[in-house]
Amino acid sequence: MKGDKAYADGSSLVGGIGSVIGHADDWRLFRRYYVDTELITTGERTFAAAMANLTQEAPQEKRESSRQMLQSLVEDTHKKFVEHVEAHRKDKLKVPQEEKTDSIYSGDVYAGRRALELGLIDGIGTYQETLKKLFPEARQVDFTKQTFWERLDDFMYGISVRTSVENALVGQVLGRVRSGLWSANKK
């Protein structure tokens, strides 16, 4: 399954298993700068409505109802996350079952080496080191050695998503620009 292997640099920050929803109560800022907002939703219990109801302007009962709904959502998400980790990394985790809730399932953050000790990741290495180790036959392309026009072409158009007709047209245009046939200095 995808995601069964995880690697990190030794100095990376690796999160334990946790879920969070953040909200900034920005109504005072909006008031100060005369910004009006209006929220149109399909119901009172949508995520957007719940987030909007967390402001100090919302009635207390709506704030509490929204807070409960969002807390339930975070807990459900966390439970599914834990179930996924248990199903796919259980044998790799190096923490006794009774200690998992207080350690890796609490959302704590660990440096890469500690995450490896706990079994949250499978190895330490930079992106390039890990690719070379896992896929030794793969050819790495050093995009820093491309010409400006090659980088522009790759960035602007993405070779893999263009059709052959688009490739031909782009090639013609870039070829003319490169050869100076089209120039900002031409009159």
Side-chain angles (χ1 to χ4, degrees):
M1 174 168 182
K2 292 181 181 179
D4 282 347
K5 295 216 178 269
Y7 293 84
D9 189 271
S11 61
S12 293
L13 297 178
V14 179
I17 290 59
S19 298
V20 64
I21 293 177
H23 178 269
D25 189 357
D26 48 18
W27 70 274
R28 286 185 199 96
L29 179 67
F30 283 1
R31 278 262 168 94
R32 180 177 179 179
Y33 292 102
Y34 306 101
V35 175
D36 293 325
T37 62
E38 183 176 3
L39 184 66
I40 301 169
T41 69
T42 57
E44 285 288 314
R45 297 201 40 91
T46 63
F47 183 80
M51 295 299 279
N53 286 334
L54 291 179
T55 67
Q56 295 299 317
E57 285 188 325
Q60 178 63 30
E61 65 274 359
K62 279 192 173 191
R63 277 198 316 255
E64 193 52 42
S65 172
S66 291
R67 192 170 280 111
Q68 288 173 359
M69 185 197 100
L70 293 169
Q71 183 65 43
S72 174
L73 182 63
V74 167
E75 289 171 3
D76 288 348
T77 303
H78 184 256
K79 181 179 175 189
K80 289 290 185 193
F81 196 2
V82 168
E83 288 171 0
H84 180 81
V85 170
E86 283 292 321
H88 298 283
R89 293 196 63 83
K90 185 175 188 170
D91 297 337
K92 297 177 181 185
L93 297 174
K94 300 169 186 159
V95 177
Q97 188 66 34
E98 61 275 3
E99 295 177 22
K100 286 180 182 174
T101 301
D102 294 331
S103 59
I104 61 173
Y105 293 158
S106 64
D108 289 351
V109 177
Y110 306 96
R113 297 207 184 283
R114 180 68 178 136
L116 180 63
E117 292 169 8
L118 294 170
L120 288 170
I121 61 174
D122 298 298
I124 297 287
T126 65
Y127 178 73
Q128 290 82 6
E129 291 168 349
T130 303
L131 284 178
K132 285 179 187 175
K133 179 180 171 185
L134 296 176
F135 307 101
E137 70 285 350
R139 180 178 69 89
Q140 284 190 324
V141 177
D142 183 357
F143 289 102
T144 62
K145 294 187 178 170
Q146 286 182 312
T147 68
F148 169 78
W149 296 109
E150 290 169 332
R151 287 194 311 270
L152 178 65
D153 183 37
D154 287 349
F155 176 76
M156 295 295 289
Y157 304 103
I159 294 169
S160 62
V161 296
R162 287 190 306 219
T163 66
S164 58
V165 173
E166 289 171 322
N167 278 332
L169 290 172
V170 168
Q172 286 180 357
V173 169
L174 287 175
R176 288 180 181 170
V177 170
R178 284 186 207 126
S179 65
L181 294 177
W182 288 354
S183 169
N185 296 331
K186 279 195 168 187
K187 295 186 183 194

